PDB file of all heavy atoms in Angstrom:
ATOM      1  N   ARG T  53      13.895 329.999 168.682  1.00 97.00           N
ATOM      2  CA  ARG T  53      15.159 330.632 168.315  1.00 97.00           C
ATOM      3  C   ARG T  53      14.835 332.082 168.009  1.00 97.00           C
ATOM      4  O   ARG T  53      13.961 332.368 167.190  1.00 97.00           O
ATOM      5  CB  ARG T  53      15.726 329.934 167.082  1.00 97.00           C
ATOM      6  CG  ARG T  53      17.042 330.523 166.637  1.00 97.00           C
ATOM      7  CD  ARG T  53      17.878 329.513 165.863  1.00 97.00           C
ATOM      8  NE  ARG T  53      19.199 330.080 165.673  1.00 97.00           N
ATOM      9  CZ  ARG T  53      19.621 330.575 164.518  1.00 97.00           C
ATOM     10  NH1 ARG T  53      18.832 330.559 163.463  1.00 97.00           N
ATOM     11  NH2 ARG T  53      20.833 331.094 164.408  1.00 97.00           N
ATOM     12  N   VAL T  54      15.502 332.983 168.690  1.00 97.00           N
ATOM     13  CA  VAL T  54      15.256 334.407 168.498  1.00 97.00           C
ATOM     14  C   VAL T  54      16.537 335.024 167.966  1.00 97.00           C
ATOM     15  O   VAL T  54      17.552 335.052 168.655  1.00 97.00           O
ATOM     16  CB  VAL T  54      14.853 335.086 169.826  1.00 97.00           C
ATOM     17  CG1 VAL T  54      14.626 336.576 169.610  1.00 97.00           C
ATOM     18  CG2 VAL T  54      13.602 334.425 170.390  1.00 97.00           C
ATOM     19  N   LEU T  55      16.474 335.468 166.723  1.00 96.00           N
ATOM     20  CA  LEU T  55      17.645 335.998 166.042  1.00 96.00           C
ATOM     21  C   LEU T  55      17.532 337.507 165.930  1.00 96.00           C
ATOM     22  O   LEU T  55      16.486 338.016 165.518  1.00 96.00           O
ATOM     23  CB  LEU T  55      17.718 335.365 164.650  1.00 96.00           C
ATOM     24  CG  LEU T  55      18.993 335.506 163.854  1.00 96.00           C
ATOM     25  CD1 LEU T  55      20.156 334.838 164.591  1.00 96.00           C
ATOM     26  CD2 LEU T  55      18.815 334.848 162.493  1.00 96.00           C
ATOM     27  N   ILE T  56      18.609 338.203 166.312  1.00 95.00           N
ATOM     28  CA  ILE T  56      18.609 339.664 166.242  1.00 95.00           C
ATOM     29  C   ILE T  56      19.494 340.078 165.078  1.00 95.00           C
ATOM     30  O   ILE T  56      20.667 339.731 165.035  1.00 95.00           O
ATOM     31  CB  ILE T  56      19.138 340.259 167.556  1.00 95.00           C
ATOM     32  CG1 ILE T  56      18.206 339.859 168.699  1.00 95.00           C
ATOM     33  CG2 ILE T  56      19.246 341.781 167.451  1.00 95.00           C
ATOM     34  CD1 ILE T  56      18.779 340.093 170.056  1.00 95.00           C
ATOM     35  N   GLN T  57      18.895 340.794 164.122  1.00 90.00           N
ATOM     36  CA  GLN T  57      19.637 341.235 162.943  1.00 90.00           C
ATOM     37  C   GLN T  57      19.683 342.759 162.911  1.00 90.00           C
ATOM     38  O   GLN T  57      18.896 343.417 163.577  1.00 90.00           O
ATOM     39  CB  GLN T  57      18.947 340.711 161.683  1.00 90.00           C
ATOM     40  CG  GLN T  57      18.948 339.184 161.627  1.00 90.00           C
ATOM     41  CD  GLN T  57      17.755 338.638 160.857  1.00 90.00           C
ATOM     42  OE1 GLN T  57      16.617 338.804 161.258  1.00 90.00           O
ATOM     43  NE2 GLN T  57      18.012 337.987 159.745  1.00 90.00           N
ATOM     44  N   GLY T  58      20.617 343.281 162.174  1.00 77.00           N
ATOM     45  CA  GLY T  58      20.663 344.730 162.009  1.00 77.00           C
ATOM     46  C   GLY T  58      21.213 345.459 163.208  1.00 77.00           C
ATOM     47  O   GLY T  58      20.837 346.586 163.508  1.00 77.00           O
ATOM     48  N   ALA T  59      22.098 344.803 163.950  1.00 81.00           N
ATOM     49  CA  ALA T  59      22.761 345.449 165.085  1.00 81.00           C
ATOM     50  C   ALA T  59      24.179 344.901 165.104  1.00 81.00           C
ATOM     51  O   ALA T  59      24.463 343.914 164.449  1.00 81.00           O
ATOM     52  CB  ALA T  59      22.042 345.103 166.386  1.00 81.00           C
ATOM     53  N   ASP T  60      25.051 345.534 165.880  1.00 84.00           N
ATOM     54  CA  ASP T  60      26.399 344.970 165.929  1.00 84.00           C
ATOM     55  C   ASP T  60      26.633 344.269 167.258  1.00 84.00           C
ATOM     56  O   ASP T  60      25.847 344.380 168.187  1.00 84.00           O
ATOM     57  CB  ASP T  60      27.463 346.045 165.665  1.00 84.00           C
ATOM     58  CG  ASP T  60      27.435 347.138 166.697  1.00 84.00           C
ATOM     59  OD1 ASP T  60      27.470 346.825 167.905  1.00 84.00           O
ATOM     60  OD2 ASP T  60      27.377 348.318 166.309  1.00 84.00           O
ATOM     61  N   MET T  61      27.735 343.535 167.346  1.00 81.00           N
ATOM     62  CA  MET T  61      27.998 342.700 168.529  1.00 81.00           C
ATOM     63  C   MET T  61      28.257 343.531 169.782  1.00 81.00           C
ATOM     64  O   MET T  61      28.256 343.006 170.870  1.00 81.00           O
ATOM     65  CB  MET T  61      29.209 341.785 168.275  1.00 81.00           C
ATOM     66  CG  MET T  61      29.011 340.910 167.073  1.00 81.00           C
ATOM     67  SD  MET T  61      29.115 339.137 167.263  1.00 81.00           S
ATOM     68  CE  MET T  61      29.175 338.693 168.931  1.00 81.00           C
ATOM     69  N   ARG T  62      28.502 344.830 169.586  1.00 89.00           N
ATOM     70  CA  ARG T  62      28.771 345.666 170.767  1.00 89.00           C
ATOM     71  C   ARG T  62      27.476 346.132 171.425  1.00 89.00           C
ATOM     72  O   ARG T  62      27.517 346.731 172.490  1.00 89.00           O
ATOM     73  CB  ARG T  62      29.612 346.895 170.374  1.00 89.00           C
ATOM     74  CG  ARG T  62      31.024 346.529 169.942  1.00 89.00           C
ATOM     75  CD  ARG T  62      31.872 347.780 169.718  1.00 89.00           C
ATOM     76  NE  ARG T  62      31.258 348.701 168.758  1.00 89.00           N
ATOM     77  CZ  ARG T  62      31.393 348.605 167.437  1.00 89.00           C
ATOM     78  NH1 ARG T  62      32.094 347.642 166.903  1.00 89.00           N
ATOM     79  NH2 ARG T  62      30.803 349.493 166.637  1.00 89.00           N
ATOM     80  N   SER T  63      26.344 345.885 170.767  1.00 94.00           N
ATOM     81  CA  SER T  63      25.086 346.290 171.394  1.00 94.00           C
ATOM     82  C   SER T  63      24.443 345.078 172.058  1.00 94.00           C
ATOM     83  O   SER T  63      24.596 343.951 171.591  1.00 94.00           O
ATOM     84  CB  SER T  63      24.146 346.934 170.371  1.00 94.00           C
ATOM     85  OG  SER T  63      24.213 346.280 169.142  1.00 94.00           O
ATOM     86  N   PHE T  64      23.736 345.337 173.146  1.00 96.00           N
ATOM     87  CA  PHE T  64      23.111 344.260 173.907  1.00 96.00           C
ATOM     88  C   PHE T  64      21.615 344.496 174.003  1.00 96.00           C
ATOM     89  O   PHE T  64      21.150 345.634 174.044  1.00 96.00           O
ATOM     90  CB  PHE T  64      23.719 344.176 175.312  1.00 96.00           C
ATOM     91  CG  PHE T  64      25.146 343.724 175.279  1.00 96.00           C
ATOM     92  CD1 PHE T  64      26.179 344.645 175.280  1.00 96.00           C
ATOM     93  CD2 PHE T  64      25.450 342.375 175.209  1.00 96.00           C
ATOM     94  CE1 PHE T  64      27.501 344.224 175.224  1.00 96.00           C
ATOM     95  CE2 PHE T  64      26.770 341.943 175.146  1.00 96.00           C
ATOM     96  CZ  PHE T  64      27.794 342.872 175.154  1.00 96.00           C
TER      97      PHE T  64
END
Side-chain angles (χ1 to χ4, degrees):
R53 180 155 190 255
V54 179
L55 193 62
I56 298 166
Q57 297 151 296
D60 61 52
M61 302 237 10
R62 292 187 305 275
S63 39
F64 292 95

